[in-house]
């Protein structure tokens, strides 16, 4: 069986071969951690964005959207704390000259302990069979207990070092744990230093020179600086939310794992403004709703977990991640943060404007507290592609690669195919396409054998193939072939629309979200 690493390599290759994701400016050998989306990738990405946008703004009458500029007044980033505190701790290996994030090296060490614990438990489960009690085993087996104790000690020490901003201690942990550079295999580490992740550029020119501005590292600040505009012009009453989808930029030190960590990426963020003191209630509410949103896609409930932050960002009083099981382990896809009134208060302080809300029910003014949900479009894309990629052995020794994408997100919903390129079948196929194409993204394929055409559609995740044959001209029926089961049904042309709609219309998922 292929290792997870090999599977991931195949997924990356598949994304390129089938027009989902290309390295940026590839003819010039690419640009580190920057990617372009191809003809299928952009459709999948747009569908993800639609699912999120509608779940926020269509299903919640108290959430509205905006689209703020990427460039913002530079004081924004001073006020938000990003100029002073948006740093990653980096460390270099002197032998390989490779640069790493110190916190990531330690997190990987923690994951190694988890792996050891899981291996022991799996081994014992095989040995003891049905009567095996994993929890009891973990709490009594001396070897497992030893691993757990080491993991806990490391975790406590790591969390303290992060919270104290103690860079020397981070280095000491790396040395004490015997963490080596994966390239050189040595422990010849430099000291840990802070590295600011914001890209800067210059705008126009003033008498004193050009103005230094930043490419936004999160979309959220575009929402905060527009809080008053939207609240007033939309006559919004607390609690209410502002949603936004847009590009963000971070000069990531270590950019690995394909589109998981990019230097230019896209976020879908929503700031929900609430009464002070009610933030924990809303934090719990949004945790629940966001997990439901993910699970409604049907990728498997067991693939998600919450992970509370060891170190809270400078603005937060509670924070959790929704993690998804990627081929390289459980990884953050979305963050849910209780940001207090930090951002609005800071912008009020730096701008000199009063940024408050008059609450008619309480008859008082206050600076609203904020719950933020923040998800990366690209990470969501990666999680969906990874969990949909399937290699199947078929009867007769044949095999296929199929992307079992949620039908609502699939780039193409239906491919219409005439069995042969003659006898009026292409014309009939075009007629059917004309019936469907205003509601569903369709493609047309008349080249190669039907088997080959099915494989091509499997590889890009098209849920329905519709074949027009000679009988179609007589009985008005077509053969519908389903991607996942490969089963085929004879369906009347006039029933096609309803059949496809029942699987691909997002309305059905929205209903689930509201239950
Ligand atoms: N406004 C809050 C904020 O930006 P974050 O946890 O730094 O919080 C939110 O980022 C989400 O943005 C992450 O959960 C992740 O999905 C995505 N994200 C962050 N950095 C990324 C990167 N370098 N490449 C791709 N996605 C990234």
């Amino acid at each position: 069986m292929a290792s997870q690493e090999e599977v991931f390599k195949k997924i990356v290759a598949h994304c390129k071969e089938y027009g989902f994701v290309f390295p940026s400016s590839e003819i010039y050998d690419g640009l580190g951690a920057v990617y372009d989306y191809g003809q299928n990738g952009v459709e999948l990405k747009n569908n993800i964005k639609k699912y999120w946008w509608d779940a926020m703004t269509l299903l919640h009458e108290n959430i509205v959207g905006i689209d703020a500029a990427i460039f913002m007044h530079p004081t924004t980033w001073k006020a938000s704390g990003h100029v002073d505190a948006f740093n990653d701790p980096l460390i270099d290996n002197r032998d390989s000259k490779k640069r790493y994030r110190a916190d990531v090296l330690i997190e990987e060490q923690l994951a190694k302990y988890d792996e050891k614990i899981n291996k022991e438990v799996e081994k014992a489960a095989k040995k003891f069979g049905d009567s095996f009690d994993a929890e009891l085993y973990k709490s009594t087996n001396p070897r497992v207990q030893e691993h757990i104790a080491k993991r806990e000690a490391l975790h406590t020490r790591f969390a303290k070092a992060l919270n104290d901003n103690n860079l020397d201690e981070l280095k000491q942990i790396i040395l004490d744990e015997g963490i080596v550079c994966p390239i050189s295999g040595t422990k010849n580490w430099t000291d840990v230093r802070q590295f600011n992740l914001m890209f800067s550029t210059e705008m126009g020119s003033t008498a004193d020179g050009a103005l230094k501005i930043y490419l936004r590292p999160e979309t959220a600040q575009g929402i905060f600086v527009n809080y008053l505009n939207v609240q007033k012009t939309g006559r919004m009453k607390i609690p209410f939310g502002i949603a936004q989808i847009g590009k963000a930029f971070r000069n990531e030190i270590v950019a690995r794992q394909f589109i998981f960590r990019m230097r230019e990426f896209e976020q879908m963020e929503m700031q929900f403004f609430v009464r002070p003191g009610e933030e924990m209630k809303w934090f719990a509410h949004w945790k629940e709703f966001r997990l439901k949103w993910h699970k409604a896609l049907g990728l498997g409930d067991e693939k998600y977990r919450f992970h509370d932050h060891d170190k809270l960002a400078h603005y937060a009083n509670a924070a959790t991640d929704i993690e998804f099981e990627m081929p390289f382990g459980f990884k953050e896809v979305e963050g849910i943060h209780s940001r207090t009134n930090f951002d609005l208060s800071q912008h009020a302080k730096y701008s000199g404007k009063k940024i408050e809300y008059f609450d008619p029910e309480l008859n008082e003014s206050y600076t609203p507290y904020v719950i933020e949900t923040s998800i990366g479009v690209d990470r969501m894309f990666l999680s969906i592609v990874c969990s949909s990629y399937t290699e199947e052995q078929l009867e007769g020794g044949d095999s296929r690669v199929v992307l079992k994408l949620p039908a609502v997100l699939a780039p193409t919903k239906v491919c219409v195919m005439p069995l042969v390129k003659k006898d009026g079948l292409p014309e009939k196929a075009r007629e059917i396409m004309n019936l469907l194409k205003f509601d569903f993204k369709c493609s047309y394929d008349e080249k190669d054998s039907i088997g080959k055409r099915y494989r091509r559609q499997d590889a890009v995740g098209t849920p329905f193939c519709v074949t027009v044959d000679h009988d179609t001209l007589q009985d008005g029926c077509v053969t519908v072939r389903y991607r996942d089961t490969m089963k085929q049904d004879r369906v009347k042309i006039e029933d096609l629309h309803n059949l496809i709609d029942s699987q691909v219309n997002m309305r059905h998922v929205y209903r689930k979200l509201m239950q």
Side-chain angles (χ1 to χ4, degrees):
M1 221 173 77
S3 71
Q4 288 298 77
E5 206 173 308
E6 284 162 355
V7 172
F8 189 55
K9 273 194 192 148
K10 286 188 189 179
I11 292 171
V12 176
H14 189 89
C15 278
K16 185 173 162 204
E17 191 179 342
Y18 288 94
F20 283 88
V21 183
F22 306 125
S24 157
S25 31
E26 196 187 5
I27 56 168
Y28 296 106
D29 295 333
L31 184 66
V34 186
Y35 291 90
D36 298 339
Y37 286 84
Q39 66 279 13
N40 286 313
V42 71
E43 295 290 343
L44 174 55
K45 203 175 179 213
N46 283 344
N47 291 339
I48 293 171
K49 290 195 269 186
K50 178 175 165 47
Y51 177 43
W52 183 87
W53 188 259
D54 285 355
M56 288 298 173
T57 64
L58 196 68
L59 302 189
H60 295 91
E61 55 188 89
N62 60 349
I63 299 182
V64 292
I66 62 162
D67 182 17
I70 288 171
F71 293 149
M72 300 182 72
H73 192 284
T75 310
T76 308
W77 305 110
K78 193 73 196 149
S80 67
H82 283 82
V83 171
D84 297 320
F86 196 55
N87 301 321
D88 273 345
L90 69 85
I91 189 165
D92 294 293
N93 182 273
R94 289 197 187 92
D95 299 321
S96 67
K97 309 266 182 283
K98 287 276 169 204
R99 182 161 284 180
Y100 298 90
R101 269 176 62 175
D103 55 334
V104 171
L105 287 178
I106 300 171
E107 274 165 13
E108 284 170 358
Q109 183 71 0
L110 283 167
K112 277 190 190 150
Y113 283 117
D114 287 336
E115 232 171 78
K116 279 186 192 165
I117 296 164
N118 289 341
K119 266 200 188 138
E120 293 284 350
V121 174
E122 273 167 28
K123 222 165 58 190
K126 270 195 199 136
K127 193 165 143 197
F128 294 115
D130 286 348
S131 60
F132 182 66
D133 181 337
E135 286 315 309
L136 185 68
Y137 186 76
K138 274 200 223 170
S139 61
T140 50
N141 179 279
R143 214 173 16 232
V144 175
Q145 282 283 295
E146 197 185 313
H147 293 321
I148 292 176
K150 279 191 185 158
R151 188 204 185 280
E152 282 315 301
L154 172 59
H155 183 246
T156 311
R157 200 175 156 197
F158 174 48
K160 183 165 174 3
L162 281 181
N163 280 311
D164 295 349
N165 238 334
N166 188 340
L167 302 183
D168 292 341
E169 174 68 352
L170 284 179
K171 178 175 180 185
Q172 200 51 51
I173 293 175
I174 289 171
L175 294 177
D176 292 350
E177 287 288 324
I179 297 173
V180 296
C181 164
I183 309 286
S184 67
T186 71
K187 295 177 215 160
N188 194 4
W189 297 109
T190 61
D191 286 344
V192 178
R193 282 165 296 144
Q194 291 288 24
F195 177 81
N196 193 288
L197 298 182
M198 282 198 294
F199 284 103
S200 64
T201 183
E202 292 180 345
M203 181 180 264
S205 63
T206 63
D208 313 327
L211 186 67
K212 180 177 177 185
I213 55 167
Y214 297 98
L215 298 191
R216 65 182 179 196
E218 61 170 12
T219 59
Q221 296 304 323
I223 292 179
F224 290 123
V225 300
N226 277 297
Y227 159 79
L228 279 181
N229 284 338
V230 175
Q231 193 273 319
K232 292 215 161 91
T233 58
R235 295 185 297 122
M236 308 303 290
K237 297 214 164 23
I238 275 185
F240 74 91
I242 304 179
Q244 178 172 218
I245 299 178
K247 289 276 179 130
F249 305 83
R250 295 183 190 177
N251 197 2
E252 297 285 357
I253 304 166
V254 185
R256 264 186 282 147
Q257 289 155 334
F258 191 36
I259 56 171
F260 181 78
R261 201 177 297 286
M262 302 158 89
R263 297 201 166 103
E264 172 179 340
F265 57 100
E266 206 163 358
Q267 289 186 314
M268 307 189 280
E269 298 201 296
M270 193 276 298
Q271 318 297 133
F272 199 69
F273 300 93
V274 304
R275 277 184 188 160
E278 292 193 354
E279 69 272 18
M280 285 309 156
K281 178 181 91 182
W282 287 109
F283 181 65
H285 168 87
W286 282 107
K287 267 178 76 172
E288 189 190 327
F289 182 80
R290 292 304 305 147
L291 190 61
K292 201 169 172 183
W293 182 88
H294 284 277
K295 287 184 174 174
L297 288 174
L299 299 176
D301 289 4
E302 72 292 348
K303 289 189 178 287
Y304 302 91
R305 71 179 189 196
F306 283 118
H307 175 252
D308 294 335
H309 286 199
D310 286 325
K311 183 190 178 197
L312 291 176
H314 57 275
Y315 49 72
N317 69 356
T320 196
D321 293 335
I322 295 177
E323 292 187 336
F324 186 84
E325 193 176 15
M326 305 272 191
F328 42 93
F330 272 93
K331 295 286 168 195
E332 172 190 348
V333 171
E334 171 158 7
I336 300 161
H337 313 123
S338 171
R339 287 181 82 129
T340 67
N341 60 2
F342 175 84
D343 301 87
L344 291 183
S345 304
Q346 286 290 100
H347 288 306
K349 187 170 133 195
Y350 277 79
S351 67
K353 308 272 183 328
K354 191 170 160 200
I355 306 182
E356 287 188 346
Y357 175 77
F358 176 73
D359 194 323
E361 281 172 36
L362 300 179
N363 199 26
E364 66 179 59
S365 291
Y366 52 77
T367 309
Y369 271 49
V370 171
I371 303 301
E372 162 183 81
T373 70
S374 174
I375 169 169
V377 181
D378 313 271
R379 281 198 195 170
M380 184 69 194
F381 184 108
L382 185 61
S383 67
I384 290 166
V385 170
C386 286
S387 57
S388 303
Y389 179 91
T390 318
E391 293 175 4
E392 282 180 355
Q393 287 305 323
L394 306 174
E395 280 168 28
D398 210 359
S399 67
R400 69 167 184 159
V401 173
V402 50
L403 280 191
K404 296 189 172 177
L405 298 169
V408 289
L409 300 181
T412 302
K413 306 304 185 195
V414 48
C415 180
V416 185
M417 316 170 169
L419 188 63
V420 289
K421 269 192 271 185
K422 55 183 185 180
D423 305 336
L425 301 191
E427 291 75 11
K428 190 73 190 167
R430 288 280 176 199
E431 221 178 86
I432 293 171
M433 220 171 127
N434 286 338
L435 282 179
L436 302 173
K437 72 179 184 192
F438 298 107
D439 294 312
F440 313 112
K441 175 88 181 139
C442 299
S443 66
Y444 176 87
D445 193 359
E446 58 178 21
K447 200 168 175 291
D448 299 322
S449 70
I450 278 289
K452 274 196 183 152
R453 285 185 255 172
Y454 283 160
R455 291 290 171 276
R456 277 202 286 270
Q457 295 307 317
D458 287 345
V460 297
T462 307
F464 297 98
C465 288
V466 168
T467 305
V468 174
D469 56 26
H470 292 93
D471 289 344
T472 308
L473 305 179
Q474 311 306 321
D475 64 7
C477 290
V478 287
T479 301
V480 172
R481 185 258 194 189
Y482 303 95
R483 178 195 69 197
D484 296 352
T485 57
M486 296 191 289
K487 287 214 174 94
Q488 302 187 5
D489 275 341
R490 207 65 193 157
V491 175
K492 281 197 193 134
I493 292 171
E494 64 258 36
D495 293 341
L496 269 180
H497 191 284
N498 276 353
L499 172 74
I500 296 165
D501 188 84
S502 70
Q503 298 294 312
V504 310
N505 197 315
M506 289 202 190
R507 189 192 316 124
H508 308 298
V509 192
Y510 299 154
R511 289 228 170 86
K512 268 201 241 170
L513 289 181
M514 288 290 100
Q515 278 161 11

